[in-house]
Amino acid sequence: MALGAPRRGLLMLLMALGLTQGDPVRTSWEQLINCTCENPHCRGPTCQGVWCTVVLLRQEGGPPEQLRGCGRLHEELCWGRPTEFLHHHCCYSSFCNQNMSLELQVTRTPPEEPRVDSQLPLVLGSVLTLLALLGLGALGLWHFRKREKKHWVLHSELGESSIILKTSEQGDSMLGDLLDSDCTTGSGSGLPFLVQRTVARQVALVECVGKGRYGEVWRGLWHGESVAVKIFSSRDEQSWFRETEIYNTVLLRHDNILGFIASDMTSRNSSTQLWLITHYHEHGSLYDFLQRQTLEPQLALKLAMSAACGLAHLHVEIFGTQGKPAIAHRDLKSRNVLVKSNLQCCIADLGLAVMHSQGSDYLDIGNNPRVGTKRYMAPEVLDEQIRTDCFESYKWTDIWAFGLVLWEITRRTIVNGIVEDYRPPFYDAVPNDPSFEDMKKVVCIDQQTPTIPNRLAADPVLSGLAQMMRECWYPNPSARLTALRIKKTLQKLSNSPENPKVIH
Ligand code: ADP
Ligand code: MG
């Protein structure tokens, strides 16, 4: 490997993690405003961002301190999340943070010590974990210039917990360095297991950002960097096991697939806790994003294309030492697609995925009793005609679901000034939390597909998307588009002369 390659790799990882301090990404729907800037990262007395913010922090053992700055610096504390949880405030007009003041509330003893503290004696007691720590230390010495890191204690507004927040210099990502190719397992996408365990035990949970059918997702902090921690409920341990297995056996690093960091299983008060730690994306899921955001056609295309790139990478088998088996997702939906800060999508939740490799003709279906989300089930799943022994069948069901995700995107796209509210697929045909029978009646017996908005015909790109949806929804599964065809068609649409504005 050339000398510069690890640094370049690191930079790319940092960019993927959204940790580099570049200019804010500007999109047509964002207006930059000036803010008062008084924090250690400020380059001047003002900064530009999407919003201004005031954060109350206290250096370890020191007095509380108010820091002012731009949303972009503190966005993990603000974006689309319940802001009352942390002691901070965001506002949205120029210099609105100048005279704003926050006061420290009385903090009670935290109900639970941060995991890093409570687990430390155990970690040190374990010879194996100690070895991992030594390994980490050695890696640290080898990889990083030593930089002084400031330790902050951040108090929650409700006084229910206090967490240690270590701020690192912008762009100085320990996670990025750790995930650099030199210290990954080689076979899978992850770190060696002992390092994964060590990282997991150093994560402090900050705020719950989502609840799914089978668990919760938290924003956590690892050495000052935000990470997402999915905590699986014990009845969904097979999803944790499957996702852990896939990330650790398959090389799955791709811009449009959620980046894996670590997996961990701990025993706590006689119950088992299952964690999956991944990159954190502050916009949340595509479902969350579409609730808040209407889209210009070029942003709709960008979201669709990046999601299609992720799906095509999952579906394709790559041969050779750096290869991967073909993977079908089986629970594709807008809640399982995340929106990154560069407004590209990445695909998450591999708990139900199946793998296939042509050479050995081995189909690995896993052992998960969970089924996909009923609303997104293809007709052949609902009428139980799917050929479960044929890998292609699973890819075809992903394409059906992808068409539904495209439909959700297009409803939120503005054409000639017209846009619709967010709705889930089949909102007008089935009740909330539809049963298998509800879905079967609509999709198999009545053969309904979602209504494609008429206005799409007025835009060359969106009429392309409309046609694509129809071809994802053929009742005959093998007649549907492939993920590769979808990706290529979207690339063509984005390069077409009528649409010169798409930002890649
Ligand atoms: P479901 O897919 O059933 O909604 P999940 O447990 O997978 O449940 O996720 C719950 C929610 O947590 C998501 O809809 C999303 O809002 C949020 N979320 C999940 N993963 C991340 C992540 N890596 N970064 C930020 N938010 C996330
Ligand atoms: Mg999910």
Side-chain angles (χ1 to χ4, degrees), residues 230 333 335-336 349:
K230 183 160 175 177
K333 55 178 175 173
R335 285 180 192 268
N336 280 337
D349 197 345

Side-chain angles (χ1 to χ4, degrees), residues 293-347:
Q293 209 59 63
T294 57
L295 315 172
E296 296 295 335
Q298 70 266 24
L299 180 54
L301 185 55
K302 179 174 175 163
L303 293 168
M305 188 157 67
S306 51
C309 288
L311 187 63
H313 184 73
L314 272 186
H315 279 190
V316 73
E317 178 171 357
I318 300 174
F319 299 94
T321 47
Q322 295 282 297
K324 65 172 274 297
I327 298 173
H329 188 285
R330 292 179 70 211
D331 196 16
L332 197 62
K333 55 178 175 173
S334 53
R335 285 180 192 268
N336 280 337
V337 174
L338 299 171
V339 178
K340 305 200 298 181
S341 55
N342 64 5
L343 303 182
Q344 283 202 18
C345 291
C346 66
I347 293 178

Side-chain angles (χ1 to χ4, degrees), residues 275-500:
W275 281 23
L276 185 91
I277 304 174
T278 60
H279 294 181
Y280 176 76
H281 299 296
E282 69 250 348
H283 289 311
S285 66
L286 180 61
Y287 173 88
D288 303 327
F289 189 75
L290 293 177
Q291 311 294 312
R292 297 190 297 262
Q293 209 59 63
T294 57
L295 315 172
E296 296 295 335
Q298 70 266 24
L299 180 54
L301 185 55
K302 179 174 175 163
L303 293 168
M305 188 157 67
S306 51
C309 288
L311 187 63
H313 184 73
L314 272 186
H315 279 190
V316 73
E317 178 171 357
I318 300 174
F319 299 94
T321 47
Q322 295 282 297
K324 65 172 274 297
I327 298 173
H329 188 285
R330 292 179 70 211
D331 196 16
L332 197 62
K333 55 178 175 173
S334 53
R335 285 180 192 268
N336 280 337
V337 174
L338 299 171
V339 178
K340 305 200 298 181
S341 55
N342 64 5
L343 303 182
Q344 283 202 18
C345 291
C346 66
I347 293 178
D349 197 345
L350 301 175
L352 209 57
V354 298
M355 297 191 274
H356 179 252
S357 75
Q358 254 173 35
S360 53
D361 196 24
Y362 178 60
L363 177 60
D364 178 355
I365 305 208
N367 182 29
N368 196 340
R370 175 183 140 194
V371 291
T373 307
K374 295 180 201 85
R375 191 181 286 279
Y376 288 81
M377 281 178 180
E380 65 275 19
V381 178
L382 291 164
D383 66 13
E384 295 166 90
Q385 293 296 308
I386 182 172
R387 284 195 47 197
T388 50
D389 57 341
C390 167
F391 176 71
E392 295 293 305
S393 315
Y394 297 102
K395 293 206 289 190
W396 296 331
T397 68
D398 280 352
I399 299 298
W400 171 276
F402 187 83
L404 298 177
V405 172
L406 281 182
W407 176 86
E408 290 173 79
I409 293 175
T410 52
R411 271 186 71 92
R412 297 295 282 150
T413 308
I414 310 163
V415 183
N416 295 335
I418 305 169
V419 66
E420 292 155 288
D421 288 340
Y422 174 82
R423 291 282 182 269
F426 300 108
Y427 73 102
D428 49 354
V430 297
N432 283 339
D433 196 14
S435 68
F436 197 84
E437 288 307 319
D438 293 333
M439 289 306 304
K440 187 172 167 179
K441 163 141 195 343
V442 169
V443 174
C444 304
I445 300 169
D446 302 343
Q447 300 209 350
Q448 284 192 51
T449 51
T451 310
I452 295 175
N454 286 332
R455 67 181 186 287
L456 303 191
D459 182 285
V461 167
L462 294 174
S463 55
L465 286 187
Q467 181 55 23
M468 183 173 280
M469 283 183 248
R470 291 183 195 103
E471 294 179 35
C472 290
W473 293 335
Y474 288 138
N476 173 5
S478 66
R480 292 175 200 149
L481 294 172
T482 63
L484 193 61
R485 175 53 43 211
I486 291 175
K487 176 180 146 179
K488 287 188 172 167
T489 306
L490 289 172
Q491 276 168 346
K492 220 186 255 169
L493 284 175
S494 80
N495 292 331
S496 69
E498 295 96 332
N499 185 39

